Amino acid sequence: MSVQVENLEKNMAKLTIEVPAEEVEKALQGAYQKQKGSISIPGFRKGKVPRAYIEKVYGAAIFYEEAANTLINTNYGKACEESGLEIVSQPVIDVVQIEKGKSFIFTAEVAVKPEVTLGQYKGIEVLKADLTVSEDEIAAELKKEQEKNSRTIVVEDRPAQIGDVLTIDFEGKIDDVAFPGGAGNSYPLALGSNAFIPGFEEQLVGTKAGDVKDVNVTFPEDYNAEELAGKDAVFTCTVHKVEAKELPELNDDFAQDVSEFDTLDEYKADIEKNLAEKKAEDAKNAKENAVLEQAVKNAEMEIPEAMILTQANQQLDSFVRRLQSQGMTMELYKQYTGQGEEELLEIMKPQAKQQIEGRLVLEAVAKAENLVESEAVAAACEAEIAKMAEQYKMDIETIKGMFEGKNMDDLKLDMACQEAVKVLTENAVEVDSLPEA
């Protein structure tokens, strides 16, 4: 096998791969052995027709496609290694020559990992985070816990208000004619949930059990049922029951019921501590994202479209697998959302490009700071291997054996990128305000 490399524009390359004629003959014979059982010719038992006779009847090209696939699968990976290129996309394959007695020639057009020219990556200005926890934030957390521990009571001494749950029967009509899907019985409707058409729930505020009220609404122009979109409707609603949430009182007993603490003050102090920790973690993540985003803006690189498409396709494959794990097919998802694989792929491309740029810049910083062979990265690799051994209940030496050659190089680079994030953030400058773009 021989490989010729032609560098193209925009970080693309074309590999021209030539496979000797004797390998072509082996592949053709393999194709014959695989397909002969499905070929019927009068006068011969199935599977016993000689290859030469089949080629005489159907033409020599009958086995070319199968042979070409075999030769491509066998030789493309070797050709990539021999080329010395860092290939970052799926290839676009084109068969140039396939013929008995001649070498097999095919080309593979691929994207090559772009070079990155770093700009400023140290001293990048980022907004200083506000880590203070306000009384309102503590109160909001307490309210959430009250809501979780609330009980539902029937309301009889006042009209319905936002936040109440009504049990209603309803029947909708357009021009005094009922329409499919416009009626329901004993339906629990939370006022303020916006579960119904805009304006519906607000008109039931002030009602009581036993009331019958006509609710006048207009279906939105973009309503999913086209026959109803933009039309005026009247829903006759019968209110059977009004219920409200009764929140537990905020006191020491409440704290003891919902937490490990004896007093409300201790519980509030713990909420404040947890909120402060979350704010600190959120601020750390925001700082990392901001400084990397700016480092990407300061750098120069040209990302080939094929590289972006490959990354987006990987994201799409992961998305489809997640759907399947939830018992949903892509066809059903498209019915519900109107978005199929093509639409999702276009949506995912900008994110794919952003991820590629971020990774390339981190790799460039790791190289500039000599991080790959640093003690910090070596320690991080050891820690990651130990973590995997514990996770999979395997011996550390067994896991280490799995990380040899390219696998270890990849692990080192991953850990070096994590160290590069630290370089960016530790050298960032926190400021109270940033200049307007």
Side-chain angles (χ1 to χ4, degrees), residues 208-212 238-241:
K208 292 182 177 181
D211 287 353
V212 177
T238 302
V239 180
H240 293 298
K241 186 165 54 174

Side-chain angles (χ1 to χ4, degrees), residues 315-341 344 348:
Q315 293 176 0
L316 179 59
D317 289 344
S318 296
F319 179 78
V320 171
R321 284 196 297 273
R322 287 198 301 274
L323 282 182
Q324 290 170 344
S325 70
Q326 297 165 8
M328 181 176 284
T329 64
M330 197 64 229
E331 290 74 19
L332 270 176
Y333 181 83
K334 185 171 184 178
Q335 285 180 26
Y336 289 136
T337 67
Q339 294 175 340
E341 291 191 6
L344 286 171
M348 290 174 177

